[in-house]
Amino acid sequence: MQPSATFHRVLFAAAAAAGLMMLGGGCSKPAAPEDPDVVARVGEGVIRVADVQAEAVRRMEIGRPLGDKGALLRELVEREALKQHALHLGLPDDPAVRRELDILLISKLRDRELLPRQQEVQITAAAVEAEYQRRIGDFTRPAQIRLAGLVLLCASNATAATQAETRARLEEARRQILANPAPGGRGPAAQGFGELAIRYSDDQASRYRGGDLGWITSAAEYSRWPSNVVQAAVALEKGQVSEVLPAADGFYLVMKTDERPPQVTPLAAVQENLRRQMESREREAVAQAYAQELVNAVQPQIYESRLETVEWPAARRNDAATGFQPPSISAMETNAHAN
């Protein structure tokens, strides 16, 4: 791609300004500026001693090599020349440039005024404990039960003889498990109905795991099996086996194999994370109050009728399909500040 004419003009302006600094040999040196604080004049602007010193300090703080004074000044001259040319081209009036400048200004404003306010936020141990007690349900694991089950499928319109035969098979499985409980040991297949599940269950998800259905907290949570069957299982004592239970699609046998009482995570385990959450929430409230304070100070006037005349762009197809929403201005300002 060939460099644009604008790019050439920018480089020419920078080179011309820098060239003034490098005149030497048989040429006489330019007269010293009247203001002893001025080290260079660049078009309509000047570079002062304080500018050079500030740039030197900035480079030291970010670990950038200083070089010599002349090289640093030439870079400042080049930057000033480029800036003046950008101003001459009217770039500050470009909406994208204005927006970037706005975000930069807001970021600096946050550093100067908002961050000190937010840093004053202190969350006491008493406040953390009160929040913990208020949200104790969030830190409590409810009681759980573990179930195992057998199912022999039988269509509701099957003959009475078929239904009786299917029920009888599950009754036989119940007699066997009561007479010879699963030996226990490692793995779900060694618990519950053990190997009987392979011979007496049509449930492919559990038959090779001793009929194990896993942990649940309530009957409503387990919807894969009929609700009356699961409710019957919940009502059992630990280790107890239900009667054979009829359902629309067959016959079921369930067992409560284990249970866990409710478990509360202690305050000590969550207090630091809870404190950070509260601190973040409080600092966000400070930011919102600060922004509203500044809005109230300028007393904005909103002209709703003129707002109606704004032509609104149509949503792009991908945005409409995914429900995409562009980030808010405040969020972008926060991201700019974070970067």
Side-chain angles (χ1 to χ4, degrees):
M1 177 182 291
Q2 294 295 324
S4 67
T6 299
F7 181 73
H8 279 128
R9 287 197 298 271
V10 173
L11 288 183
F12 176 80
L20 292 176
M21 300 297 300
M22 297 183 287
L23 290 176
C27 301
S28 60
K29 295 182 180 180
E34 296 177 2
D35 186 343
D37 188 47
V38 174
V39 294
R41 293 185 183 278
V42 186
E44 299 175 355
V46 295
I47 298 174
R48 299 182 179 276
V49 170
D51 298 326
V52 179
Q53 291 175 334
E55 179 63 14
V57 171
R58 186 189 73 84
R59 294 187 182 195
M60 288 185 64
E61 290 176 347
I62 65 175
R64 181 178 172 184
L66 281 177
D68 57 57
K69 295 180 182 179
L72 190 150
L73 180 57
R74 286 192 293 273
E75 287 191 35
L76 293 179
V77 167
E78 178 181 322
R79 186 174 71 186
E80 180 65 21
L82 293 171
K83 183 197 75 174
Q84 289 189 26
H85 191 61
L87 292 173
H88 175 71
L89 295 176
L91 292 183
D93 296 326
D94 182 276
V97 174
R98 289 205 312 270
R99 184 178 177 283
E100 293 297 326
L101 290 175
D102 288 348
I103 291 176
L104 179 60
L105 286 171
I106 292 170
S107 176
K108 295 301 181 183
L109 176 65
R110 286 168 55 88
D111 286 343
R112 177 174 295 186
E113 292 193 348
L114 176 57
L115 288 183
R117 296 190 188 188
Q118 291 180 313
Q119 289 169 352
E120 292 176 359
V121 172
Q122 297 292 329
I123 306 299
T124 65
V128 172
E129 184 173 3
E131 180 73 359
Y132 172 79
Q133 295 297 339
R134 186 182 71 82
R135 295 173 49 193
I136 192 67
D138 294 341
F139 308 112
T140 303
R141 187 189 71 188
Q144 294 180 304
I145 60 172
R146 191 164 191 170
L147 305 179
L150 307 179
V151 56
L152 290 178
L153 299 177
C154 182
S156 59
N157 59 355
T159 64
T162 299
Q163 293 190 32
E165 180 183 352
T166 304
R167 183 176 191 131
R169 285 188 62 207
L170 212 51
E171 294 281 7
E172 175 60 24
R174 185 175 188 275
R175 284 192 292 272
Q176 290 189 41
I177 195 62
L178 292 177
N180 298 288
R186 298 181 61 183
Q191 303 174 21
F193 293 99
E195 295 182 356
L196 284 178
I198 299 176
R199 291 185 285 130
Y200 290 95
S201 183
D202 294 328
D203 184 46
Q204 298 303 316
S206 64
R207 64 181 301 198
Y208 296 103
R209 301 190 303 163
D212 181 56
L213 305 180
W215 292 96
I216 66 171
T217 58
S218 67
E221 180 183 340
Y222 198 83
S223 59
R224 198 168 63 83
W225 279 25
S227 59
N228 67 303
V229 174
V230 182
Q231 288 172 359
V234 170
L236 296 172
E237 298 295 329
K238 179 180 176 180
Q240 188 178 6
V241 181
S242 72
E243 300 292 336
V244 173
L245 303 169
D249 59 347
F251 296 91
Y252 290 78
L253 191 65
V254 286
M255 177 194 303
K256 182 185 288 185
T257 59
D258 205 351
E259 57 188 0
R260 293 171 176 166
Q263 182 175 341
V264 179
T265 303
L267 172 60
V270 299
Q271 62 183 358
E272 183 55 29
N273 185 52
L274 190 56
R275 183 193 65 78
R276 286 196 296 266
Q277 292 177 12
M278 296 173 67
E279 187 177 76
S280 176
R281 187 167 64 241
E282 288 299 316
R283 287 180 174 176
E284 177 60 26
V286 169
Q288 293 179 359
Y290 172 75
Q292 190 60 51
E293 175 186 319
L294 297 184
V295 170
N296 293 341
V298 297
Q299 298 181 346
Q301 297 180 359
I302 306 297
Y303 304 103
E304 296 289 351
S305 60
R306 296 177 185 176
L307 179 62
E308 294 297 326
T309 66
V310 176
E311 293 186 7
W312 207 242
R316 294 177 297 181
R317 179 178 301 178
N318 290 343
D319 293 351
T322 60
F324 170 79
Q325 293 292 332
S328 67
I329 291 177
S330 59
M332 289 187 287
E333 290 161 359
T334 301
N335 292 337
H337 175 75
N339 293 331

